[in-house]
Amino acid sequence: MGLLDVLGPVMVGPSSSHTAGACRLALLARHARLTPPSRAELTLHGSFAKTARGHGTELALVAGLLGMMPDDPRLPEAHDHAAAAGLQVVFRTADLGDVHPNTVRIRTEGGPDGATEEVALTGSSLGGGLVRVFDVDGFRVEFRGGLHTLLVRHHDQPGVIARVARVLADDASNIATLHCARKERGGEAMMSVEIDRRLSQPALDYLAHLPYVHWMRMLPEVLSGDPPPAGPHDDGPAPARAGRIAGRDTGDGRDAPSAGGEEGAP
Amino acid sequence: MTFDELARHPGPASAFFLERETRGDADARDALLAKMAERLAAMRDSVDRGLTNDAKSRTGMVGWNAKGLHQAADLLDAPLLKRVQAYAMAVNEENARMGRIVAAPTAGSAGTLPGALFGVADHLGRSDEELILPLITAAGFGEIISETMFIAGASGGCGAEIGPSASMAAAAITELLGGDAHAAVHAGSLALMNTIGLVCDPVGGYVEVPCVSRNAFYSVHAVAAAQLALAGLESFIPPDEVVGAMASVGRMLPPELRETGEGGVADTPTGRRIALEMAK
């Protein structure tokens, strides 16, 4: 945490944890996709579930999904902008288990022209606008949005981590944190890598074309207040393996709420 | 990073934090100071808007208090007091209207630091440029506290929000008025010690009641802490231990009193009525 993280963010009110932090989590969810979603289901836990409306949490989450930063003056009218953008949003509340009180699971799907991209991301707003993402598509991950984050879903086999690390090293990308988790031996695994600067396009292209890389995203840092690249992933990796980037069942392995713990919310 | 380490540093606290964050890199130092100046300007802008705007918040519970106080007669003949309170509420009323503010360190406690710092500076005729280094000090105090506890009402009640903000403001004012790192540490500690145990009980879950008036109160509290420390008073309990106590008490608070809107003034007949009305 740096001095500018304490005196900040510059944001639209009313709550750094429930508005700015929520916006940043949704912004990360948006950047975990190549295309803008057409539908989103947001599951709110704990204090998020109890005080979402009062703190503008719902508006902030919708704003983030639309790519808005926490100080975007359009944030209070996010629902109108979502309608105009063709984004349909459903809010639910649930007990997501032993997690931070301000936690949200953001499941996005659809896309322009009938695209079927589907990504689910779960994270917590830690206070003062700081965030932590700990689950993507049911895989354990670990990143905080203060640095650029590379997400790689890959086949669980020897040498993948070394290969990715080598490519990053050759690109002069310094690794700040690295987290890997798999669902089962020889199945699929996910790594989240926080790096000091965005990977170059050739390095991204190379990684995306490795046969054991099933899905990959380069998320921008979202804490500095500097705008992320215009139009998430316009300059990102091309969906070379469109069939494999497309959504899949994320039902297993996640920190699922207990059955019956969910209640619908308008 | 500890307060003990900071207190032993000769000279102003901001020099300690600047050196720590930029490691002697002149470009990094300039960049940080420029960013801080931007944050300061955004804070000043939120004060100015809040003092002239009396539009109600979405709930209708707040919105006109800052302007009202700012224009009211100074019956106590205490212009500093009136100014500090009006400035603090100006920021939080802007926040409640979903206006643009700077979290310091959170949005709910965003008025305390600008209220106290701009209030004192304007009262004494000091320029905004002189406030950049004190602002660095304020940020550094927040950073030290955040190493022990997440700064959020949901994790430790209001003591974990208004406490750090008052502590940061007290340290900043101490530096503005010539206090060294030692004095700033004791100002910050005195401010923090006397906020321990405050609950986070926003009516209806909205950051309005008691948040707006609370910032008015605790910006004054911060000025008082700076005054004590500048006169040589010290925190009898070592400042790092005070932070530990704040975190410990925060964790003892039941969930109802940690930003869920289910306890305290939120859980009164009127609080429940507002919650119901706004849920419609």
Side-chain angles (χ1 to χ4, degrees):
Chain A
M1 184 160 189
L3 298 172
L4 289 164
D5 299 323
V6 179
L7 275 181
V10 181
M11 54 170 281
V12 169
S15 165
S16 51
S17 55
H18 289 62
T19 319
C23 179
R24 284 169 164 173
L25 286 168
L27 194 58
L28 288 168
R30 168 66 187 90
H31 282 276
R33 300 173 53 91
L34 298 175
T35 57
S38 52
R39 191 170 177 283
E41 182 185 283
L42 299 110
T43 307
L44 305 170
H45 164 94
S47 175
F48 261 12
K50 298 216 164 100
T51 63
R53 195 179 296 253
H55 288 81
T57 305
E58 294 183 359
L59 292 168
L61 287 166
V62 172
L65 285 174
L66 294 169
M68 295 182 195
M69 303 285 284
D71 71 336
D72 196 308
R74 299 170 299 168
L75 191 150
E77 284 85 45
H79 286 308
D80 298 338
H81 290 279
L87 170 62
Q88 186 194 352
V89 183
V90 179
F91 285 96
R92 305 168 67 81
T93 61
D95 181 352
L96 296 178
D98 185 19
V99 294
H100 188 281
N102 297 329
T103 295
V104 60
R105 186 173 67 210
I106 305 170
R107 191 185 187 115
T108 61
E109 58 188 38
D113 307 322
T116 56
E117 188 180 2
E118 185 180 326
V119 182
L121 172 152
T122 310
S124 306
S125 178
L126 305 176
L130 299 179
V131 298
R132 166 178 178 250
V133 176
F134 58 87
D135 188 296
V136 171
D137 283 349
F139 291 91
R140 280 274 150 194
V141 295
E142 186 64 52
F143 61 96
R144 298 190 172 217
L147 300 168
H148 301 268
T149 302
L150 179 70
L151 293 177
V152 182
R153 197 174 80 217
H154 59 89
H155 187 61
D156 177 42
Q157 66 185 60
V160 178
I161 295 166
R163 185 73 241 155
V164 171
R166 182 77 249 161
V167 172
L168 264 60
D170 290 344
D171 205 47
S173 291
N174 190 35
I175 295 177
T177 74
L178 169 65
H179 185 276
C180 312
R182 68 181 180 192
K183 286 188 175 168
E184 61 196 60
R185 183 187 293 185
E188 273 201 312
M190 174 91 76
M191 77 176 90
S192 55
V193 194
E194 291 187 293
I195 51 183
D196 289 339
R197 64 171 183 79
R198 190 183 165 80
L199 268 188
S200 71
Q201 196 56 47
L204 288 170
D205 290 343
Y206 177 78
L207 286 176
H209 284 77
L210 291 173
Y212 40 78
V213 171
H214 300 169
W215 178 92
M216 200 182 84
R217 294 288 183 269
M218 183 77 242
L219 278 57
E221 68 83 19
V222 296
L223 297 195
S224 71
D226 300 330
H233 299 287
D234 287 353
D235 57 346
R241 296 171 174 272
R244 306 175 82 165
I245 284 171
R248 51 171 204 87
D249 181 17
T250 58
D252 53 348
R254 77 168 62 253
D255 254 3
S258 56
E262 306 217 4
E263 48 182 86
Chain B
M1 197 163 35
T2 63
F3 281 125
D4 183 50
E5 208 182 321
L6 171 60
R8 285 186 272 108
H9 180 83
S14 59
F16 173 87
F17 293 121
L18 268 176
E19 172 55 32
R20 226 189 134 87
E21 178 120 339
T22 62
R23 310 258 169 217
D25 180 335
D27 290 345
R29 182 192 157 92
D30 290 349
L32 178 61
L33 289 172
K35 272 272 186 191
M36 262 315 158
E38 281 176 31
R39 299 276 155 101
L40 187 76
M43 274 186 185
R44 174 65 90 176
D45 184 50
S46 66
V47 170
D48 290 348
R49 273 182 281 121
L51 288 176
T52 50
N53 189 345
D54 58 5
K56 286 182 179 174
S57 66
R58 286 171 300 155
T59 65
M61 290 191 287
V62 298
W64 58 93
N65 303 288
K67 186 179 175 185
L69 175 62
H70 193 51
Q71 295 183 343
D74 186 8
L75 298 175
L76 284 169
D77 191 20
L80 172 63
L81 178 65
K82 187 158 104 69
R83 196 188 286 271
V84 164
Q85 291 187 307
Y87 284 15
M89 289 197 292
V91 175
N92 281 87
E93 290 192 323
E94 270 301 297
N95 185 54
R97 280 189 290 262
M98 295 191 85
R100 189 169 181 267
I101 58 96
V102 181
T106 65
S109 62
T112 298
L113 173 61
L117 190 56
F118 287 128
V120 168
D122 289 0
H123 180 70
L124 298 177
R126 309 288 288 267
S127 72
D128 279 9
E129 201 171 359
E130 292 175 81
L131 305 182
I132 295 171
L133 289 176
L135 203 59
I136 295 270
T137 289
F141 271 63
E143 191 174 4
I144 291 179
I145 295 167
S146 73
E147 285 177 9
T148 299
M149 177 157 216
F150 287 133
I151 295 178
S155 45
C158 196
E161 288 206 23
I162 209 82
S165 74
S167 182
M168 291 160 62
I173 293 166
T174 302
E175 176 155 336
L176 177 69
L177 299 184
D180 61 6
H182 180 86
V185 163
H186 285 279
S189 181
L190 288 165
L192 193 65
M193 193 192 312
N194 290 288
T195 56
I196 289 177
L198 270 177
V199 304
C200 181
D201 53 350
V203 170
Y206 291 82
V207 191
E208 301 186 8
V209 176
C211 318
V212 171
S213 64
R214 183 156 298 169
N215 276 268
F217 286 111
Y218 284 89
S219 57
V220 176
H221 174 91
V223 177
Q227 169 146 290
L228 294 181
L230 283 163
L233 274 77
E234 296 192 351
S235 170
F236 180 78
I237 303 295
D240 293 302
E241 295 181 26
V242 171
V243 177
M246 180 274 283
S248 158
V249 171
R251 281 190 290 266
M252 284 180 210
L253 289 177
E256 288 81 359
L257 299 175
R258 287 197 256 149
E259 209 172 350
T260 51
E262 293 182 342
V265 294
D267 190 34
T268 54
T270 301
R272 284 183 228 127
R273 176 175 58 78
I274 296 285
L276 268 178
E277 280 173 11
M278 295 308 296
K280 279 174 194 161

